[in-house]
Amino acid sequence: MMKKSPALACLSLALVLGQAIAAEPTRDELTRQVEALDREFFDAFNNCKLDKLTEMVAEDLEFFHDKNGLMRSRQAFIEAVRRNVCGKFRREPMAGTMVVYPLEKFGAIQMGDHKFCPVKPGPCEGKGKYVNVWQRKGERWEMMRVLSYEHLPLTE
């Protein structure tokens, strides 16, 4: 019988611990993480925190919009938010519509419905559906791809 060297035993333990640390989150943990990202993202979006938005979206962001087509790049997205969102409207998620699906060893797909409301208190006027692809980079997440579609008047 062959004895394991102390160095080999330490290496084996390090590999096992490394795998445990790098393990994928459970579906519930992933959903909580993405819900927190969604809150953080739309706080920045609704309050025109462009520096925070810049941190949260990928440099090569692709944003597909049913009314405006394709927007490519973080810079184009930030400029569109500055021009079309800041001080004009806010986005609110519609309760109970968000679902999150894991993308193994990459991140998550987030889907849901949201409504569009005036900045000042008043009734919300529009709604839409969205799909976001989030990439996990270590402890950091980036929104990489967005589908924003089925924009319709809100009939509550």
Side-chain angles (χ1 to χ4, degrees):
M1 183 159 90
M2 204 180 201
K3 278 187 145 179
K4 282 188 180 180
S5 74
L8 184 58
C10 287
L11 178 60
S12 296
L13 181 60
L15 288 173
V16 169
L17 290 174
Q19 287 176 346
I21 292 168
E24 294 289 317
T26 67
R27 182 81 177 262
D28 287 343
E29 289 168 337
L30 183 66
T31 297
R32 281 191 297 277
Q33 289 173 4
V34 172
E35 285 173 341
L37 287 167
D38 189 67
R39 283 189 303 276
E40 189 177 352
F41 182 85
F42 281 101
D43 174 65
F45 182 87
N46 290 337
N47 293 295
C48 207
K49 297 176 185 175
L50 301 180
D51 289 342
K52 184 63 178 173
L53 285 177
T54 299
E55 290 174 15
M56 295 187 77
V57 300
E59 189 170 336
D60 65 345
L61 174 74
E62 289 185 339
F63 192 105
F64 298 87
H65 193 282
D66 64 345
K67 305 292 183 190
N68 300 316
L70 172 61
M71 180 185 321
R72 291 179 192 249
S73 86
R74 173 193 298 148
Q75 183 178 352
F77 172 74
I78 297 300
E79 187 51 39
V81 171
R82 180 189 330 273
R83 214 177 34 251
N84 302 314
V85 176
C86 293
K88 296 185 170 104
F89 72 90
R90 70 184 193 285
R91 176 265 192 191
E92 292 182 7
M94 295 177 78
T97 65
M98 184 189 303
V99 291
V100 176
Y101 300 96
L103 287 172
E104 293 285 327
K105 298 178 178 72
F106 185 83
I109 298 170
Q110 172 193 20
M111 302 170 72
D113 297 350
H114 50 204
K115 55 188 174 181
F116 303 96
C117 310
V119 172
K120 295 179 182 176
C124 298
E125 299 169 355
K127 66 179 181 176
K129 295 183 178 293
Y130 64 93
V131 176
N132 297 330
V133 176
W134 291 92
Q135 182 179 14
R136 183 179 40 247
K137 294 183 170 185
E139 295 298 313
R140 203 171 152 269
W141 288 82
E142 282 186 342
M143 184 183 287
M144 295 192 63
R145 304 293 179 261
V146 177
L147 302 173
S148 185
Y149 61 100
E150 201 172 304
H151 290 93
L152 299 168
L154 183 63
T155 53
E156 289 188 283

